[in-house]
Amino acid sequence: MVAASDLVAHPLRDRVLHEIHARPFAALPIPCRISHFAFLTDAVQGGADRAALAGLRARNGLAPLAADARHARMQLGEVALRWEQHGEFTTYSWESADVVPPSFWPGDHAPPGPLIAAAALTLSRDVDLAALFPGADAAVSMLGEGKARIATDFAADGDGFVRIAVDPGTLKGDLAGPLAQRLLEIDTYRTLALLGLPEAQRVAPLIQRIEAALPLLLEQIHTSNGLTDSRGLLDRLSTLAAELEEASAASAFRFGATRAYAELVELRLQAIGEVSGGRSWAGFLSRRLHPAMRTCRTIEARQADLSLKLSRAAQLLRTQVEVDLAHQNRDLLEAMNERVRLQIQVQQAVEGLSVVAITYYAASLVHLVLEGVDRAWLPLSPVAGTALAVPAIALIVTWLIRRLRSRHVLPEAPRG
């Protein structure tokens, strides 16, 4: 039997197989405290952060990270660090067995970017959730597995941390670890999801202005008169379309990310398995997060609908401009045709006059010749001879002019 390892593997097979094991859950000591930070990072900041993390590992005698590593867990003395690098953000989670560890950021390690989320999670069976979160805005609920209880108010305290308290109930450390990670992800992802709301609020006035201007432009298109008016309206439509497309391009990533993060929040809420309803995390977030997500979806839909309307209006106006141009070209061609007809008529008149003039001069020469012959040799009548010669001369001159015109491909005059 041939082993799978003996076959030629797809170059991405190992990466796909290892993806299912990415970001593994880790067991946590009970009690413990986690200080969680999320930073927005771009490609340059992400690369600098990897280099800084490599220096941190080297200073603590740890092996370097793999070149393609996106997550790592390391023990730094009494504190464990969980590091993860995502598409647009990087997270640091500092874990300590002490329930009151320092909510620190190491002075010798530079933050990778601007802070977007910070949470302080306490995991303890002796925690009094009601005393920690007495206000009406607190979200406190029980989970189905192990009768664990979780609580937060999703508000930053005096140190800038969103406090999260977890009573694991009968859960062991290997199950409390996944629960704590999901709770921290909920707080991080709901913060990132809400980044779409300021973007929607920034774009909304532009959309309102274009929506108000478009009906007026459509009315002007209907009543426009002439190519000049149509071109002016087309310029205005093109300007509005360019403004809208610029705003759409700038907000497309943010709105797409907002949808993805909101979906991740829903998935994490389903994963923790809340069984109580009134002050649950799902209920709290549905009242705060869902309206913001609807606003983002509405703005995105209005952008798409308005872009389609502008495109149709511009196409209608371009068609009108093309029709006006066609009429203008037709009038120009008719004018050119009339000029050519007049030129040909003038040319034919000139040809007729030329025949008369040439015949006249030729007949005069014939008359002079006949007078000379009459006087010198033969008794001929110059007048009679000239009269007989004129028709022949006229025919010959006409034939020569027409032959010359045919050689130069001169057009015939239009008839009728």
Side-chain angles (χ1 to χ4, degrees), residues 287-356:
R287 293 192 302 273
R288 274 74 170 182
L289 187 61
H290 290 178
M293 298 303 100
R294 283 194 294 270
T295 299
C296 293
R297 288 194 296 269
T298 300
I299 290 295
E300 193 173 17
R302 288 170 65 188
Q303 276 183 330
D305 181 63
L306 193 54
S307 177
L308 183 61
K309 289 179 180 178
L310 284 172
S311 178
R312 287 200 297 250
Q315 184 61 40
L316 175 64
L317 193 52
R318 288 191 189 96
T319 301
Q320 185 169 319
V321 169
E322 290 173 359
V323 171
D324 290 341
L325 282 174
H327 289 166
Q328 190 180 67
N329 290 338
R330 182 200 62 191
D331 295 340
L332 181 61
L333 289 174
E334 288 179 354
M336 292 176 62
N337 187 51
E338 180 65 18
R339 290 177 59 187
V340 170
R341 188 179 67 82
L342 292 175
Q343 288 177 355
I344 292 175
Q345 290 178 348
V346 171
Q347 178 182 341
Q348 289 176 339
V350 170
E351 289 177 1
L353 293 174
S354 299
V355 170
V356 172

Side-chain angles (χ1 to χ4, degrees), residues 224-243:
S224 64
N225 183 20
L227 188 59
T228 302
D229 290 348
S230 297
R231 283 178 172 173
L233 291 172
L234 186 58
D235 289 341
R236 291 171 61 187
L237 267 178
S238 299
T239 299
L240 291 179
E243 291 180 7

Side-chain angles (χ1 to χ4, degrees), residues 84-395:
E84 294 182 7
Q85 193 171 75
H86 300 260
E88 66 165 338
F89 69 98
T90 301
T91 61
Y92 281 78
S93 298
W94 306 90
E95 304 166 1
S96 171
D98 186 353
V99 294
V100 190
S103 299
F104 70 97
W105 184 263
D108 60 348
H109 189 72
L115 180 70
I116 189 61
L121 185 146
T122 301
L123 178 66
S124 175
R125 290 191 174 92
D126 299 325
V127 65
D128 186 349
L129 301 184
L132 283 175
F133 302 99
D137 288 337
V140 183
S141 62
M142 180 175 289
L143 309 183
E145 187 175 4
K147 295 184 178 180
R149 294 184 303 144
I150 58 176
T152 185
D153 57 5
F154 292 105
D157 62 13
D159 294 326
F161 288 89
V162 172
R163 295 179 301 152
I164 301 173
V166 181
D167 179 354
T170 61
L171 291 181
K172 303 297 184 183
D174 57 342
L175 295 179
L179 173 60
Q181 182 174 332
R182 288 173 180 139
L183 296 179
L184 292 172
E185 288 174 348
I186 288 173
D187 182 67
T188 301
Y189 290 141
R190 64 101 184 180
T191 305
L192 290 165
L194 286 170
L195 288 178
L197 182 59
E199 183 66 18
Q201 293 168 339
R202 182 189 69 84
V203 174
L206 172 65
I207 294 178
Q208 292 173 353
R209 177 168 61 83
I210 296 178
E211 286 175 337
L214 184 57
L216 299 177
L217 280 175
L218 291 175
E219 183 179 353
Q220 292 175 8
I221 290 173
H222 180 69
T223 59
S224 64
N225 183 20
L227 188 59
T228 302
D229 290 348
S230 297
R231 283 178 172 173
L233 291 172
L234 186 58
D235 289 341
R236 291 171 61 187
L237 267 178
S238 299
T239 299
L240 291 179
E243 291 180 7
L244 181 65
E245 291 304 318
E246 181 182 2
S248 298
S251 60
F253 170 78
R254 190 72 271 151
F255 288 155
T258 289
R259 290 195 304 271
Y261 291 134
E263 183 178 353
L264 288 173
V265 170
E266 295 295 333
L267 292 174
R268 297 301 185 269
L269 287 171
Q270 294 173 16
I272 64 176
E274 289 181 296
V275 294
S276 61
R279 301 173 65 192
S280 68
W281 284 37
F284 184 98
L285 291 174
S286 67
R287 293 192 302 273
R288 274 74 170 182
L289 187 61
H290 290 178
M293 298 303 100
R294 283 194 294 270
T295 299
C296 293
R297 288 194 296 269
T298 300
I299 290 295
E300 193 173 17
R302 288 170 65 188
Q303 276 183 330
D305 181 63
L306 193 54
S307 177
L308 183 61
K309 289 179 180 178
L310 284 172
S311 178
R312 287 200 297 250
Q315 184 61 40
L316 175 64
L317 193 52
R318 288 191 189 96
T319 301
Q320 185 169 319
V321 169
E322 290 173 359
V323 171
D324 290 341
L325 282 174
H327 289 166
Q328 190 180 67
N329 290 338
R330 182 200 62 191
D331 295 340
L332 181 61
L333 289 174
E334 288 179 354
M336 292 176 62
N337 187 51
E338 180 65 18
R339 290 177 59 187
V340 170
R341 188 179 67 82
L342 292 175
Q343 288 177 355
I344 292 175
Q345 290 178 348
V346 171
Q347 178 182 341
Q348 289 176 339
V350 170
E351 289 177 1
L353 293 174
S354 299
V355 170
V356 172
I358 295 173
T359 301
Y360 173 78
Y361 287 113
S364 298
L365 292 175
V366 170
H367 183 79
L368 291 175
V369 171
L370 292 177
E371 283 185 345
V373 171
D374 178 55
R375 292 178 181 178
W377 297 294
L378 297 173
L380 295 176
S381 173
V383 175
T386 302
L388 292 174
V390 166
I393 294 171
L395 290 174

Side-chain angles (χ1 to χ4, degrees), residues 22-27 34-37 53 71-76 79-84 91-95 177 181 184-185:
R23 304 175 66 229
F25 294 119
I34 302 176
S35 295
H36 176 79
F37 302 87
L53 188 69
H71 63 87
R73 182 181 175 83
M74 60 197 78
Q75 192 68 36
L76 305 175
V79 178
L81 169 62
R82 181 183 180 88
W83 169 84
E84 294 182 7
T91 61
Y92 281 78
S93 298
W94 306 90
E95 304 166 1
Q181 182 174 332
L184 292 172
E185 288 174 348

